[in-house]
Amino acid sequence: MADEITSVLRDDAVFVGTAEAPQYLPLKMANRHGLVTGATGTGKTVTLQILAEGFAKAGVPVFCADIKGDLSGIAVPGEAKDFLTKRADTIGLGADYKFGAATASFWDLFGEKGNPIRTTVTEMGPLLLARLLDLNEVQEGVLNIAFRLADDEGLAILDLKDLRALMVHVADEASELSRIYGLVSAASIGAIQRALLVLEQQGGDRFFGEPAFDITDLMRLDDNGHGIVNVLAADDLMANPRLYATFLLWLLSELFEELPEVGDPDKPKLVFFFDEAHLLFTEAPKALLRTVETVVRLIRSKGVGVFFVTQNPLDLPDAVLGQLGNRVQHALRAYTPRDQKAVRAAAETFRPNPALDTERVITELGVGEALVSTLGPKGAPTMVERTLIRPPSGRLGPITPAERAVLIAADPMRGKYSETVDRVSAYEMLTERAAKTPPPEAMPDASPTKKAEPDREPEPEEDGWLVKLWNWLTGNARGAKRLTTTQKAARGAARNVAADIGGRIGHMVGGASGARIGKQVARGMFGNLLR
């Protein structure tokens, strides 16, 4: 049995399971990325767990998202169960199958089930932020202008209150910005502000701020030289799938931008598992898809392996699917035409095995079984094999809240990110600027100041002929007490003249109806003036 154990386990590869022969994922080929697919309940999470355990034991740090909470069991030793030991014996592990915990670090965007993860709005950038806020192309353009304005004026955008203040500033400067960059409409600004409000109500404001997350904290080893398994608590985060997908894409982009080129190392510097990967590509704009394709294609030279986990291989674009060299395919159900198409597509992506009807076997696989094809030493895919997946060493299921609390308290990362820092940024700078600017009514009069003259009685002025006529008609002449008969007659004539003038004007504007209305208005106005 000892010889069998030695022949199954290798230092240069992760043991996946056994078919006719043991199946391995070579460490040197792990940065060629991978794909784990299968219907719900077929064993994808367990496969993710055994791969993470294998990489960690080989000294490779791992990042993975825990969608249902089950993956947290990797942090505590498993428990002996008959079906686990039976599977270990069947695939050749035998006595070498031991239960043990991986060193895990828990993270949570909301800071409730792990160490908080934050980034600044500036670091996320307008492209990913537009995706997060679900903005259209026009609104995304206005957001880009806002970022440009912040750069020009030296405004640091760290959290959502900074971004809200910036959008108010953009609204104030809309006329000038429109002249320089193109139309900045009030409707687009309003849409962005409403989207920010929704994001804040969903708890997204806790993701933005400082201290910003340092990606090198994902790439740690424990005292035994084993890789740390970084587990993101994503069960609550899945209530906002767009935030989940955008966060993971931001993290992947940060790794791509910050890590140096290392070529093809003997083992990756980090393995990144992207669970529920379809959320990344659903309704994604073309610019974002191109970004994902570029990152996946080039990040392998940074020593990072990316494994997408999803139900259906058709969830991923062909340009991304073609970059994934290592495949683990669990069972698919062919109930609908789309399901049947997915089965055929999955079968066609494997290197054919003459002894295996791949398309038929995909629908017959049991729980814990999968079709496996990995890259060999020269980079060529191995023939697909029907494989029994090895059992995990950690717990098969979630940890308890008490166990999680103990692990979080002992994590050396706890003190680094527990307290929020709110330094001077765009919000404070714009608020201070507004306080120093007096309101329009308080602005001093720029016109020349007239020299004050001493008070004196105004000299009586000679009334003009029009004033005299008015006073005569209204009885307001100096010393007049009441209207004379002549004045009354003149006032009536004046009303008739006014009505005639009003009627002519009304007829020019609105015909007969306008003439009638014009007479009534003119007669009424003149009558009121004479009262």
Side-chain angles (χ1 to χ4, degrees):
M1 179 66 76
D3 293 338
E4 293 181 9
I5 295 173
T6 304
S7 64
V8 170
L9 301 180
R10 284 168 41 182
D11 294 334
D12 63 343
V14 175
F15 174 55
V16 179
T18 299
E20 294 296 328
Q23 300 297 304
Y24 299 97
L25 198 165
L27 294 176
K28 190 173 180 61
M29 295 297 163
N31 66 339
R32 299 303 204 276
H33 313 317
L35 177 67
V36 180
T37 55
T40 300
T42 57
K44 295 192 303 297
T45 302
V46 175
T47 297
L48 195 162
Q49 181 171 341
I50 66 105
L51 290 176
E53 288 177 345
F55 284 122
K57 289 178 181 177
V60 179
V62 173
F63 177 88
C64 51
D66 188 10
I67 301 294
K68 298 176 292 184
D70 294 349
L71 199 56
S72 61
I74 199 172
V76 295
E79 302 168 357
K81 294 181 180 179
D82 291 341
F83 72 92
L84 294 176
T85 54
K86 182 179 179 181
R87 173 62 62 88
D89 291 337
T90 302
I91 64 175
L93 274 175
D96 193 51
Y97 177 51
K98 294 181 174 60
F99 297 104
T103 304
S105 185
F106 290 95
W107 303 91
D108 184 2
L109 261 65
F110 305 128
E112 297 171 355
K113 297 181 180 180
N115 301 312
I117 294 182
R118 304 183 192 90
T119 187
T120 65
V121 176
T122 299
E123 287 179 343
M124 174 158 281
L127 177 62
L128 288 180
L129 192 60
R131 164 70 168 165
L132 178 59
L133 298 177
D134 196 20
L135 304 182
N136 62 31
E137 188 175 346
V138 175
Q139 294 158 0
E140 182 180 347
V142 172
L143 188 63
N144 274 279
I145 293 173
F147 272 71
R148 177 61 181 271
L149 179 63
D151 287 341
D152 291 344
E153 298 190 1
L155 301 173
I157 321 172
L158 305 181
D159 50 27
L160 289 191
K161 75 175 187 300
D162 289 329
L163 186 54
R164 285 197 304 269
L166 178 62
M167 295 314 301
V168 172
H169 184 42
V170 168
D172 293 339
E173 302 292 332
S175 178
E176 180 65 15
L177 292 173
S178 296
R179 187 180 66 81
I180 300 174
Y181 301 112
L183 180 63
V184 178
S185 69
S188 294
I189 296 173
I192 296 172
Q193 291 172 323
R194 289 190 296 273
L196 289 173
L197 177 61
V198 172
L199 178 62
E200 186 172 1
Q201 291 174 337
Q202 293 174 339
D205 58 322
R206 285 182 280 182
F207 174 49
F208 293 102
E210 289 187 319
F213 183 66
D214 183 356
I215 60 169
T216 59
D217 288 335
L218 295 179
M219 309 173 76
R220 295 173 292 132
L221 303 178
D222 66 13
D223 295 337
N224 297 317
H226 296 161
I228 302 290
V229 179
N230 298 275
V231 181
L232 174 70
D235 44 352
D236 294 335
L237 183 59
M238 289 304 294
N240 188 345
R242 193 176 296 273
L243 177 58
Y244 166 77
T246 306
F247 162 70
L248 290 187
L249 181 55
W250 164 78
L251 196 57
L252 201 58
S253 300
E254 284 293 298
L255 290 168
F256 175 68
E257 292 175 3
E258 298 296 329
L259 295 181
E261 296 278 344
V262 295
D264 282 322
D266 291 334
K267 60 183 179 182
K269 297 176 66 176
L270 176 73
V271 172
F272 189 103
F273 288 94
F274 201 137
D275 203 358
E276 299 294 340
H278 66 280
L279 296 174
L280 177 60
F281 304 102
T282 302
E283 299 179 357
K286 291 183 179 180
L288 186 60
L289 289 177
R290 287 194 296 268
T291 300
V292 176
E293 293 165 8
T294 301
V295 169
V296 172
R297 185 173 66 253
L298 300 179
I299 200 171
R300 73 176 185 85
S301 63
K302 309 274 187 168
V304 177
V306 182
F307 284 70
F308 292 94
V309 184
T310 187
Q311 293 190 19
N312 193 323
L314 295 181
D315 293 336
L316 276 63
D318 290 342
V320 174
L321 205 58
Q323 304 292 325
L324 312 180
N326 302 291
R327 306 286 181 94
V328 179
Q329 175 67 63
H330 288 273
L332 290 175
R333 311 306 178 202
Y335 298 133
T336 67
R338 186 178 186 275
D339 293 339
Q340 294 168 4
K341 181 180 178 182
V343 170
R344 287 193 296 272
E348 291 171 356
T349 59
F350 287 105
R351 178 183 171 185
N353 185 341
L356 205 63
D357 184 350
T358 306
E359 185 173 340
R360 176 181 59 80
V361 170
I362 288 177
T363 62
E364 297 176 350
L365 294 169
V367 177
E369 277 190 296
L371 292 175
V372 175
S373 175
T374 59
L375 295 179
K378 296 183 179 180
T382 60
M383 285 194 301
V384 61
E385 295 284 356
R386 184 171 183 170
T387 305
L388 288 175
I389 303 299
R390 65 152 293 171
S393 297
R395 179 182 296 174
L396 197 62
I399 59 176
T400 65
E403 290 171 329
R404 183 185 293 269
V406 171
L407 291 168
I408 293 173
D411 192 337
M413 293 291 102
R414 186 61 178 170
K416 184 173 182 179
Y417 297 104
S418 56
E419 298 296 329
T420 305
V421 176
D422 188 12
R423 62 185 176 93
V424 175
S425 51
Y427 173 79
E428 290 79 11
M429 295 170 70
L430 290 172
T431 301
E432 182 180 1
R433 187 184 301 178
K436 292 180 178 179
T437 304
E441 59 271 15
M443 295 291 287
D445 188 1
S447 59
T449 305
K450 293 182 179 180
K451 186 176 180 179
E453 297 182 0
D455 294 337
R456 60 182 180 181
E457 288 292 329
E459 296 180 359
E461 297 180 0
E462 183 68 22
D463 291 338
W465 69 269
L466 188 58
V467 175
K468 291 180 179 179
L469 175 60
W470 175 262
N471 289 334
W472 183 78
L473 289 173
T474 58
N476 290 332
R478 292 186 178 92
K481 300 296 183 181
R482 62 179 181 275
L483 294 177
T484 64
T485 302
T486 305
Q487 288 172 329
K488 289 180 181 179
R491 187 172 66 178
R495 282 178 177 170
N496 292 335
V497 172
D500 182 61
I501 294 172
R504 291 176 183 273
I505 295 173
H507 187 276
M508 293 170 62
V509 176
S513 298
R516 185 168 57 254
I517 295 172
K519 288 180 180 180
Q520 294 173 355
V521 171
R523 186 179 290 115
M525 289 177 61
F526 199 80
N528 289 331
L529 288 171
L530 294 179
R531 283 192 180 94

